[in-house]
């Protein structure tokens, strides 16, 4: 056989190398060039939206709304995609995109990530935009506005949210012969009821608590702190505001449940186990979110919803609004992004989307919309959650929040999964840890 | 025919310049070697691999010298991250947890793998079924295993507690008990990791020369003698390989922790890779996470070098 000459190989190798390099360049720079191109031309503006929702009826509804927006706004084309495998993982995707210098125009985020993302210089300051005519800034619930405001600066548009109330199984209450909870009840009532509802023989726990120590554990704990006069952060923001009776009271309440043996301590990541147990009638009541109601209904549980118990006559609940960020591109694109978000969070669209996902709308006016009314009618107890929105509080948006929550989460864990051990020591240790995290977070 | 003439042609011409004209080699030749066109052949692959492997490696090394939250511009801190790590009790605990896990996982998977391999390496009825059953856990993904075992070892509703109750042992905390969770994760790891060792050992056992075993039997060796003096020496390279491999797997433990305990309860199952994930992607201290990752990486490299050194020495002595 004739040996192939090096020259012939060269002729093959050079184009191959060029193709590989070109592909890599295209992969790195492709989307950014298309983004800026859309802004410069006078024609229609194209914006990219990462909505972070996983597949489901809520996402179908959102895509339908996006299509409606594109139809009714000829100057703007919205390209919406999840951007990540779910809302949990969108923070990683957004930070990676920011580090790479190529974020989308709009991205969705959990409220707990607002402080971290907003530190990026690429985040558009929306203060003047949302307070302009036509936005109805004051129409958003106060907690939702707080949730996207940092030092007086509006860093994002409020997205859907949720709040906490007690979800309970009516059948288990009847069987135990105890009265259903009513507004004005206290955490002591909750503990006493949980004890009476617990039936180890039948495998029933009176209460359940997310005890993994993550953000899901501190989320139902903050109302107990607030109701006892505590805060997440002290007034000067330099230390925690719960290293006192307010934090201790909450821990003691949880330890009480543990000592009574009336609480199912769910240490699995997220909520699934606790919800499954409630849905098969093994848990009588827990601090729940509104988005859980559709699955409870589907499980054919005869459920009721009561406002959170109170301490010292204070029944404050917690509100968790998500957020829509706008990242700086061309001025035309930034304007288009804001216009899209204004439209999406206006009452009709707000009501329609949230009725499909089971989240709470961001404006009080949305609850009067036909779509929300129909959903509320089909979902008993929903109004308890929306009623809490007016007076509910939101955790402060500080970058050290995850670390503060982790520290307190450990104390919460030791209160729920152990029946002995000094709670004051656990609380102080958590506060020390959180304080040093606050001090070292820029 | 054509090939032979060529070989005769090439051999002397390539041999002579090598000995006589070495000092006269041009710079180009010294940099690109005698066959510069070879570089062109491998260039696409080199560029691709460099982009995928070397660039992130270098980038994360740089990152480990910075305070970087991936959002705001980063700040150079030199060895600050490494100094902080040395003093961080959480990192120390994570290293400890990882070592405990590895100390359980590596010997148990290899020991059990070899035992099962010896048991399954014979002609008995339904051998195919036994082999399949023992290998199944290895095929099941970590995520599925995690969910499966978090149900079995649920402290309040789990099967395991029901079984213990039946034999009169009190309720255990399992994944809710900081003193038990790590060992439980090691148990699940061993349950699934044994399958891989088993497959490798089964394959290696086919290579043990039958004549050697027969010769040993004829010489009067008992079962243990054959195992100790014939089978183990033949399997030695495989055992060394598995020691390294299983250690690398153990030190990289992440998914099982992520789906069962999420590092808890009370941080009792936070292993190093989980620590890196937590710091870098949840608490957004990417520089700090990168420094921790680099320490883990250096540990792994040291381990690989050490093991290849041991292996070489062993090969030479054998």
């Amino acid at each position: 056989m004739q040996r192939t000459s090096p020259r012939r190989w060269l002729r093959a190798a050079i184009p191959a190398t060029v193709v590989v390099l070109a592909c890599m360049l295209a992969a790195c720079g492709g989307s950014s060039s298309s983004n800026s191109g859309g802004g410069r031309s006078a024609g229609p503006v194209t914006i990219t939206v990462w909505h972070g929702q996983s597949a489901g009826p809520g996402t179908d509804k959102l895509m339908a709304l996006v299509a409606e927006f594109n139809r009714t706004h000829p100057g703007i084309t919205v390209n919406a995609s999840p951007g990540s495998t779910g809302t949990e993982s969108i923070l990683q995707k957004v930070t990676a995109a920011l580090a790479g210098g190529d974020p989308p125009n709009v991205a969705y985020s959990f409220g707990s990530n607002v402080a971290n993302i907003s530190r990026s210089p690429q985040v558009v300051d929306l203060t003047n935009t949302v307070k302009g005519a036509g936005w109805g800034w004051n129409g958003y619930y106060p907690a939702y506005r707080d949730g996207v405001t940092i030092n007086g600066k509006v860093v994002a548009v409020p997205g859907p949210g949720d709040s906490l109330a007690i979800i309970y199984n009516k059948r288990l209450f009847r069987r135990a012969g105890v009265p259903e909870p009513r507004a004005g009840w206290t955490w002591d009532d909750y503990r006493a009821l949980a004890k009476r509802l617990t039936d180890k023989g039948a495998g029933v726990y009176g209460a359940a608590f997310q005890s993994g120590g993550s953000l899901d554990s501190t989320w139902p704990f903050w109302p107990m702190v607030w109701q006892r006069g505590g805060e997440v952060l002290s007034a000067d923001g330099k230390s925690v505001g719960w290293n006192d009776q307010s934090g201790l009271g909450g821990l003691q309440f949880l330890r009480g449940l543990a000592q009574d043996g009336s609480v199912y301590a769910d240490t699995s990541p997220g909520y699934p186990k606790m919800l499954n147990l409630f849905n098969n009638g093994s848990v009588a009541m827990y601090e729940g979110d509104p988005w859980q109601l559709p699955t409870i209904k589907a499980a054919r549980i005869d459920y009721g919803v009561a406002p959170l118990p109170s301490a010292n006559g204070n029944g404050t609940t917690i509100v968790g609004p998500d957020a829509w960020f706008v990242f700086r591109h061309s001025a035309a694109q930034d304007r288009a992004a804001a216009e899209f978000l204004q439209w999406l969070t206006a009452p009709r669209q707000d009501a329609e989307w949230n009725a499909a996902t089971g989240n709470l709308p961001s404006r009080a006016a949305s609850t009067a919309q036909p779509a929300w009314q129909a959903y509320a009618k089909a979902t008993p107890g929903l109004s308890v959650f929306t009623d809490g929105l007016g007076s509910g509080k939101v955790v402060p948006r500080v970058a050290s929040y995850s670390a503060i929550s982790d520290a307190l989460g450990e104390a919460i864990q030791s209160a729920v999964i152990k029946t002995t051990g000094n709670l004051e020591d656990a609380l102080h240790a958590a506060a020390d840890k959180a304080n040093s995290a606050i001090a070292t977070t820029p | 025919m054509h090939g032979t003439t060529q070989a005769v042609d090439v051999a002397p011409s390539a041999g002579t310049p090598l000995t006589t004209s070495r000092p006269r080699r041009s710079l180009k030749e010294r940099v690109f070697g005698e066959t510069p066109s070879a570089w062109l052949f491998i260039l696409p692959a080199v560029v691709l691999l460099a982009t995928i492997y070397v660039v992130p490696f270098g980038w994360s090394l740089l990152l480990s010298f910075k305070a970087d939250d991936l959002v705001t511009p980063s700040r150079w801190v030199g060895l600050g991250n490494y100094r902080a790590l040395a003093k961080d009790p959480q990192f120390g605990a994570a290293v400890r947890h990882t070592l405990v896990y590895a100390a359980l996982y590596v010997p148990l998977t290899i020991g059990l793998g070899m035992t099962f391999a010896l048991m399954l390496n014979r002609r008995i009825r339904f051998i195919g079924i036994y082999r399949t059953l023992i290998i199944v856990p290895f095929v099941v993904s970590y995520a599925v295993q995690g969910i499966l075992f978090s149900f079995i070892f649920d402290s309040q509703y789990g099967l395991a507690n029901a079984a213990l109750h039946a034999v009169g042992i009190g309720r255990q905390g399992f994944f809710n008990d900081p003193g038990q969770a790590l060992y439980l994760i090691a148990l699940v790891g061993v349950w699934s990791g044994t399958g891989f060792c088993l497959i490798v050992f089964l394959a290696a056992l086919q290579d043990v020369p039958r004549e050697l075993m027969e010769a040993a039997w004829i010489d009067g060796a008992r079962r243990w003698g054959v195992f100790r003096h014939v089978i183990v020496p033949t399997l030695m390279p495989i055992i060394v390989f598995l020691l390294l491999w299983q250690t690398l797997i153990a030190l990289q433990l992440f998914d099982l922790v992520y789906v069962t305990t999420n590092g808890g309860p009370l941080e009792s199952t936070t292993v190093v890779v989980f620590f890196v994930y937590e710091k870098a992607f949840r608490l957004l201290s990417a520089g700090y996470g990168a420094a921790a990752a680099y320490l883990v990486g250096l540990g792994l490299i040291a381990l690989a070098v050490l093991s290849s050194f041991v292996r070489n020495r062993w090969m030479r002595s054998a």
Side-chain angles (χ1 to χ4, degrees):
Chain A
M1 227 195 73
Q2 184 74 38
R3 230 166 46 138
T4 319
S5 77
R7 272 180 198 288
R8 292 236 317 254
W9 273 106
L10 269 181
R11 261 179 259 147
I14 291 175
T17 314
V18 169
V19 167
V20 168
L21 286 173
C23 289
M24 288 188 325
L25 282 176
C28 295
S31 41
S32 70
S33 59
S34 71
N35 274 351
S36 49
R40 239 177 280 124
S41 64
V45 181
T46 301
I47 58 170
T48 320
V49 174
W50 286 359
H51 58 66
Q53 315 290 314
S54 36
T59 309
D60 297 343
K61 183 73 215 176
L62 179 66
M63 295 314 281
L65 287 170
V66 168
E68 185 189 332
F69 178 84
N70 285 337
R71 218 170 36 246
T72 52
H73 296 71
I76 303 172
T77 305
V78 174
N79 274 332
S81 66
S84 72
T85 51
T87 319
E88 290 82 10
S89 50
I90 202 162
L91 173 68
Q92 281 92 305
K93 286 298 296 281
V94 168
T95 46
L98 286 172
D102 187 26
N105 293 93
V106 173
Y108 189 83
S109 150
F110 274 145
S112 49
N113 301 327
V114 164
N116 286 310
I117 297 178
S118 69
R119 289 162 63 191
S120 163
Q122 298 179 67
V123 166
V124 174
D125 179 353
L126 295 168
T127 315
N128 293 327
T129 311
V130 297
K131 293 183 179 167
W135 265 85
W137 174 242
N138 289 325
Y140 295 106
Y141 288 108
Y144 283 62
R145 281 180 268 146
D146 292 347
V148 295
T149 307
I150 296 177
N151 298 328
K153 198 168 110 179
V154 178
V155 297
V157 173
D162 57 359
S163 67
L164 279 180
I166 303 296
I167 303 178
Y168 60 94
N169 182 325
K170 288 187 171 180
R171 189 181 61 84
L172 293 178
F173 271 71
R174 276 197 302 275
R175 212 183 56 178
V178 296
E180 289 182 20
R182 275 196 315 228
W185 64 322
T186 66
W187 292 101
D188 292 336
D189 297 335
Y190 185 94
R191 181 179 168 183
L193 281 183
K195 196 173 176 183
R196 287 176 63 190
L197 286 159
T198 299
D199 181 351
K200 288 276 162 69
V204 172
Y205 280 85
F209 195 82
Q210 219 300 335
S211 315
S214 65
L215 296 179
D216 294 327
S217 293
T218 44
W219 160 251
F221 190 81
W222 292 124
M224 305 182 200
V225 170
W226 288 329
Q227 294 177 4
R228 290 177 174 85
E231 287 292 342
V232 176
L233 282 176
S234 63
D236 63 3
K238 292 198 172 120
S239 59
V240 298
W242 39 263
N243 190 15
D244 52 23
Q245 212 49 44
S246 64
L248 190 62
L251 293 182
Q252 279 165 343
F253 162 74
L254 290 175
R255 174 59 61 79
L257 293 179
Q259 283 171 341
D260 293 345
S262 60
V263 64
Y264 174 76
D266 184 2
T267 53
S268 63
Y271 281 96
K273 245 157 116 180
M274 235 170 86
L275 294 188
N276 287 343
L277 289 173
F278 184 82
N279 286 349
N280 70 23
S282 302
V283 165
M285 59 180 175
Y286 71 105
E287 289 177 74
D289 301 76
W291 54 264
Q292 293 155 358
L293 295 182
T295 60
I296 293 170
K297 233 173 61 172
R300 298 174 183 281
I301 294 287
D302 182 13
Y303 72 92
V305 180
L308 282 192
S310 59
N312 310 326
N314 180 335
T316 305
T317 187
I318 186 168
V319 180
D322 291 344
W324 291 106
F325 279 98
V326 178
F327 297 107
R328 191 176 314 288
H329 288 80
S330 69
Q333 282 183 306
D334 295 352
R335 267 197 309 278
E339 190 176 340
F340 170 66
L341 292 178
Q342 178 189 2
W343 182 85
L344 188 67
T345 57
R348 178 179 68 82
Q349 292 76 285
D350 190 33
E352 284 185 13
W353 186 32
N354 287 303
T357 57
N359 288 317
L360 299 182
S362 47
R363 296 168 178 276
S366 309
T367 58
Q369 291 289 320
W372 187 262
Q373 290 279 319
Y375 175 58
K377 203 172 155 199
T379 314
L382 193 64
S383 61
V384 179
F385 289 101
T386 42
D387 288 350
L389 290 179
S391 59
K393 284 180 70 156
V394 65
V395 293
R397 300 311 189 198
V398 288
S400 53
Y401 179 72
S402 288
I404 296 172
S405 170
D406 281 0
L408 178 61
E410 248 186 83
I412 292 173
Q413 262 198 325
S414 46
V416 191
I417 65 176
K418 295 193 210 161
T419 50
T420 55
N422 191 315
L423 288 179
E424 274 178 67
D425 292 348
L427 181 73
H428 298 327
D432 287 346
K433 219 168 168 181
N435 286 339
S436 76
I438 295 169
T440 53
T441 307
Chain B
M1 193 60 202
H2 188 79
T4 30
T5 35
Q6 208 176 45
V8 172
D9 281 351
V10 168
S13 61
T16 16
L18 258 181
T19 43
T20 54
S21 69
R22 176 163 290 196
R24 274 187 286 133
R25 285 213 304 168
S26 67
L27 178 72
K28 205 170 83 185
E29 253 180 2
R30 265 176 285 150
V31 174
F32 295 107
E34 284 174 60
T35 50
S37 55
W39 282 102
L40 278 167
F41 302 154
I42 59 171
L43 189 65
V46 168
V47 170
L48 203 68
L49 290 179
T51 326
I52 297 171
Y53 293 111
V54 182
V55 170
F57 212 66
W59 186 74
S60 59
L61 180 65
L62 275 182
L63 191 62
S64 75
F65 296 124
K66 291 175 180 174
D68 191 339
D69 60 2
L70 300 175
V71 177
T72 51
S74 57
R75 192 162 45 83
W76 189 265
V77 294
L79 289 174
N81 286 327
Y82 291 94
R83 267 189 227 109
L85 268 178
K87 278 186 277 179
D88 188 340
Q90 256 183 308
F91 183 66
V95 170
R96 240 182 356 265
H97 296 151
T98 311
L99 293 180
V100 168
Y101 178 82
L104 290 169
Y105 178 84
V106 178
L108 283 177
T109 49
I110 295 179
L112 287 174
M114 183 171 330
T115 312
F116 287 133
L118 288 170
M119 284 163 68
L120 292 175
N121 188 36
R122 49 176 111 175
R123 292 165 205 282
I124 43 177
R125 205 184 282 261
F126 305 129
I127 185 71
I129 296 176
Y130 304 141
R131 287 184 181 178
T132 312
L133 282 179
I134 290 197
I135 292 167
V136 160
F138 168 62
V139 184
V140 176
S141 85
Y142 268 138
V144 174
Q145 286 172 32
I147 291 164
L148 177 70
F149 279 97
S150 73
F151 277 101
I152 291 177
F153 290 114
D154 185 293
S155 60
Q156 275 121 336
Y157 292 100
L159 274 176
N161 260 332
L164 288 180
H165 182 73
V167 295
I169 299 175
R171 181 195 292 277
Q172 302 294 309
F174 293 130
F175 283 129
N176 279 12
D177 184 335
Q180 294 179 350
L182 183 62
Y183 298 102
L184 220 52
I185 287 179
L187 182 76
V188 179
V190 169
W191 179 76
S192 73
T194 301
F196 176 69
C197 297
L198 169 71
I199 298 174
V200 175
F201 276 128
L202 259 183
L205 281 174
Q206 315 303 318
D207 283 347
V208 177
R210 224 177 146 73
E211 312 85 71
L212 266 187
M213 301 221 287
E214 277 163 6
W217 282 321
I218 292 168
D219 287 347
R222 304 266 176 82
R223 206 174 262 191
W224 170 251
V226 172
F227 174 72
R228 172 73 189 77
H229 298 289
V230 178
I231 295 180
V232 169
T234 323
L235 292 185
M236 212 52 201
I238 301 298
I239 295 175
V240 173
F241 158 74
L242 279 178
L243 272 175
L244 172 67
W245 185 260
Q246 293 295 84
T247 309
L248 292 181
I249 298 284
L251 298 185
Q252 293 179 37
L253 174 69
F254 174 79
D255 9 22
L256 206 49
V257 170
Y258 184 75
V259 289
T260 50
T261 60
N262 221 354
L266 302 178
E267 299 190 349
S268 60
T269 56
T270 306
V271 288
V272 276
V273 181
F274 192 80
F275 177 89
V276 171
Y277 163 78
E278 282 276 299
K279 293 295 169 193
F281 296 111
R282 225 175 51 74
L283 299 178
L284 294 182
S285 310
Y288 196 59
Y294 246 86
L295 285 185
V296 178
L298 289 179
L300 294 179
I301 291 171
L303 199 73
V305 170
L306 181 79
S307 91
S308 83
F309 174 73
V310 169
R311 207 160 145 181
N312 285 344
R313 263 189 55 158
W314 179 81
M315 291 288 206
R316 236 178 284 136
S317 71

